[in-house]
């Protein structure tokens, strides 16, 4: 699971919501291209089409704001025409119309974003690494150690299945990894893989 590309189609006014839901998803070793971020960074719509065409999955964020968005509708249609799976991320099931009516997606729980992020990771894990019901795709995040004068790459391997990760989170457990050079420990929420804190090593 490296090098895959995820394209996020959304209404411009939903950018803040999208950034919140994808904040930890962006830490995984695959590309996440959020439509408005791409356009605002000076990239042309033509280049955005290239990102869309080379995606392994398109996440369509469906809210009342996007229901009549010509860009969201065109991006969904383009993806389906190219045979790219579309994953609906929706406020309400009724927003999944047209060719994605009935496609399994993820409901947005605005009161509990962590639950939404967890379910989003579940679905992306299934789409990007479909190894079968008994197999657990090995996901990981890699980041530089944040201790001054260290900066050594640190890797958090995620070998547990999503159900176990959710149970760990509900029981207040954390995922932990450490820097091989300075022995600093890093802690993450199992459900969202969000950063919780660190304890500096004594090396």
């Amino acid at each position: 699971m490296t090098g895959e590309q995820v394209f996020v189609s959304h209404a411009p006014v939903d950018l803040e919501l999208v950034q919140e839901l994808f904040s930890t998803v962006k830490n995984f070793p695959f590309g996440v291209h959020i439509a408005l971020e791409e356009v605002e960074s000076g990239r042309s719509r033509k280049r955005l089409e290239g990102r869309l065409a080379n995606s392994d999955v398109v996440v369509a964020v469906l809210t009342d704001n996007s229901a009549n968005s010509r860009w969201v509708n065109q991006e969904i249609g383009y993806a389906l025409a190219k045979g790219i799976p579309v994953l609906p991320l929706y406020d309400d099931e009724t927003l999944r119309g047209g060719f994605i009516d009935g496609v399994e997606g993820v409901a947005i729980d605005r009161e509990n974003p962590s639950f939404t992020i967890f379910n989003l990771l579940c679905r992306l894990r299934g789409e990007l690494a479909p190894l079968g019901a008994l197999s657990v795709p090995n996901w990981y995040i890699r980041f530089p150690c944040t201790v001054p004068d260290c900066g050594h790459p640190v890797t958090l391997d995620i070998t547990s299945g999503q159900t176990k990760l959710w149970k760990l989170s509900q029981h207040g457990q954390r995922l932990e990894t450490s820097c091989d050079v300075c022995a600093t420990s890093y802690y993450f929420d199992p459900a969202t893989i969000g950063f919780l804190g660190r304890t500096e090593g004594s090396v």
Side-chain angles (χ1 to χ4, degrees), residues 126-170:
E127 288 290 344
L128 297 176
L131 300 181
L134 299 178
S135 299
V136 178
N138 185 15
W139 278 34
Y140 66 90
I141 59 171
R142 185 169 290 138
F143 55 94
C145 181
T146 57
V147 172
D149 301 321
C150 184
H152 185 76
V154 180
T155 301
L156 172 69
D157 285 312
I158 304 164
T159 56
S160 298
Q162 292 298 114
T163 303
K164 183 175 181 182
L165 290 173
W166 182 254
K167 287 179 180 175
L168 289 172
S169 180
Q170 292 302 291

Side-chain angles (χ1 to χ4, degrees), residues 6-10 18 22 32-36 58-61 75:
V6 175
F7 184 93
V8 186
S9 178
H10 63 94
V18 170
F22 282 85
V32 176
H33 305 288
I34 295 174
L36 193 59
V58 170
V59 178
V61 181
E75 287 160 1

Side-chain angles (χ1 to χ4, degrees), residues 2-69:
T2 53
E4 290 90 347
Q5 302 296 315
V6 175
F7 184 93
V8 186
S9 178
H10 63 94
V13 294
D14 288 331
L15 179 60
E16 190 174 321
L17 169 68
V18 170
Q19 289 174 325
E20 178 185 10
L21 295 178
F22 282 85
S23 59
T24 60
V25 178
K26 285 180 149 189
N27 294 330
F28 287 92
F30 53 81
V32 176
H33 305 288
I34 295 174
L36 193 59
E37 285 183 349
E38 298 277 322
V39 172
E40 286 184 343
S41 67
R43 295 183 174 94
S44 67
R45 279 281 174 187
K46 194 69 182 168
R47 185 163 179 188
L48 196 64
E49 183 182 331
R51 294 275 198 215
L52 181 55
N54 291 314
S55 293
D56 295 284
V57 62
V58 170
V59 178
V61 181
L62 306 175
T63 66
D64 287 337
N65 299 318
S66 65
N68 297 313
S69 167

